[in-house]
Amino acid sequence: MKNYLITLLSVIVLISCASENEQKVLDQIATIYHAEVAYSKGFHTNKNRKSITNFTIKVSDCKMLDTMKFSQASTNMARIAYHNFTEKEKKKYDEINVQFIKDKDTSFFSYDKNLLNRIDKKAATAIAFSENLKNHNFSKLDKLIDKKYIKRTSFGSDMKKYIISLEKNRGKISGYQLYKIGKTRDNNAKIDMIRYVGELQFSNGVKTAYFVNINILEGKDKIVGYKLD
């Protein structure tokens, strides 16, 4: 999840149309980030002469990115694409790239599909957390947390009290959306985590930021930290 420049032996941009499903993915990203979104397909040959195929999401005219790190937003954009690609499309592309174009400046991030697979699996926990808050399934929250790090025996019931108190002034939770994904670390617990950042949307128009942290280790997919304003 870092910006880098690859020394290429060869780079080819393929001129081909997006599939119907790929276009739906691009439209979804455009809607979530209120941006213009285009794409390209191509491949490059690495130093071992292995052909690496890629799908590049090109983002422009996005005011939301003035207030958030593009490196974190681009990770979520790549995850959205990977999550919604068909199995055939997932096999077709080795990388999903995200390019942000603003004026004369360009930022570029590239994500290996194996990394995206891990990020997407852990995102399922963040989405389940959000979905259960929205639907008031508070008892299911207890199964999502790692009790080694969140040492509360009444997590679900505590969240119920908190959400209901918020909804008294803001109306019911009408939706949620993840926007950013980044890496963070708890130095006290000595644990590296992936942070999923989003917002809860209430029926009176109020939006509340939140995040959940999930252990970065493969197979460790429970919540180890969170914040809900």
Side-chain angles (χ1 to χ4, degrees), residues 129-130 176-178 196-200 208-211 227-228:
F129 174 83
S130 309
Y176 60 87
Q177 182 61 62
L178 296 181
Y196 296 83
V197 183
E199 65 180 17
L200 295 176
T208 297
Y210 72 102
F211 68 73
K227 182 178 181 181
L228 175 60

Side-chain angles (χ1 to χ4, degrees), residues 1-2 69 71-72 75 115 118-119 180-186 191-197 213-217:
M1 293 184 281
K2 61 181 180 180
K69 289 184 178 179
S71 59
Q72 296 177 354
T75 306
L115 172 62
R118 287 180 60 192
I119 291 173
K180 300 185 294 182
I181 302 173
K183 183 179 177 182
T184 188
R185 179 173 175 80
D186 186 325
I191 179 175
D192 290 318
M193 304 168 289
I194 299 178
R195 175 170 291 178
Y196 296 83
V197 183
N213 296 334
I214 299 173
N215 195 320
I216 202 169
L217 295 178

Side-chain angles (χ1 to χ4, degrees), residues 31-96:
T31 298
I32 291 171
Y33 290 92
H34 306 286
E36 295 293 327
V37 178
Y39 75 96
S40 66
K41 302 179 183 182
F43 68 87
H44 63 82
T45 304
N46 64 17
K47 62 182 179 181
N48 296 320
R49 296 190 177 277
K50 179 182 177 181
S51 181
I52 308 297
T53 58
N54 58 67
F55 184 92
T56 300
I57 303 162
K58 298 183 176 182
V59 182
S60 60
D61 192 21
C62 182
K63 293 182 179 179
M64 286 183 67
L65 293 179
D66 291 339
T67 58
M68 64 177 69
K69 289 184 178 179
F70 177 63
S71 59
Q72 296 177 354
S74 68
T75 306
N76 192 48
M77 293 178 190
R79 181 201 65 80
I80 290 171
Y82 178 84
H83 179 81
N84 289 285
F85 276 175
T86 64
E87 289 304 315
K88 183 178 180 180
E89 288 163 345
K90 288 178 180 178
K91 291 178 181 179
K92 181 178 179 180
Y93 302 114
D94 300 303
E95 299 172 340
I96 297 177

Side-chain angles (χ1 to χ4, degrees), residues 7-21:
T7 301
L8 306 178
L9 296 179
S10 65
V11 178
I12 298 178
V13 176
L14 304 177
I15 301 175
S16 60
C17 295
S19 69
E20 182 178 352
N21 186 63

